[in-house]
Every structure is written in C-alpha cells, then in structure tokens.
Amino acid sequence: MPHDIFREQISARLQRLMTSSPATEIILVPSVRDIVSRHMAFPQAMLDRETLGLPKVGPLTGINAPADV
C-alpha cells in the first residue's frame, strides 16, 4: 500500500531529521500527484498524519494546497 511505503520511507526519515535537528521546521504541502493524497484536484486538504505515521506535534507542519506560506 502507498501509505505503508510512505510510513517506512518518508515518515521514518522525517522522524530521524526531527530527532537530530529539532530546530528544523518541516512543512508538508500535498500535491495533486501524490498517491497518498485523497484529493486529486484543488483545493486539497492536509495530509493525514495518523495514516502516514507522522507525529501530531513537533516541528512538522502540514498545510492545505494551494496555500501561502
């Protein structure tokens, strides 16, 4: 499943980055090309943190697309 691959390959690396560099701010923006995104057109909701194995708190921010940062 794409969500399992995301958890194993992406979430694990983001966890290591947040542990080794807690001052780093990470911003995740969904794309219409993301296989883990539920929306294939704009506007898109944030990526589902629980499903993707991402922490609910910490230096990781999820935003909608399109968005102004």
Side-chain angles (χ1 to χ4, degrees), residues 15-28:
Q15 291 283 358
R16 284 196 305 271
L17 176 63
M18 289 185 286
T19 301
S20 66
S21 180
T24 300
E25 182 74 24
I26 301 167
I27 301 172
L28 294 178

Side-chain angles (χ1 to χ4, degrees), residues 45-61:
M46 293 181 283
L47 297 173
D48 184 6
R49 288 178 175 223
E50 186 175 337
T51 303
L52 298 177
L54 299 169
K56 292 188 180 200
V57 295
L60 189 134
T61 304

Side-chain angles (χ1 to χ4, degrees), residues 29-67:
V29 182
S31 168
V32 292
R33 293 190 246 167
D34 287 337
I35 195 167
V36 295
S37 179
R38 293 178 298 207
H39 304 282
M40 298 303 158
F42 290 120
Q44 290 182 284
M46 293 181 283
L47 297 173
D48 184 6
R49 288 178 175 223
E50 186 175 337
T51 303
L52 298 177
L54 299 169
K56 292 188 180 200
V57 295
L60 189 134
T61 304
I63 59 175
N64 301 331

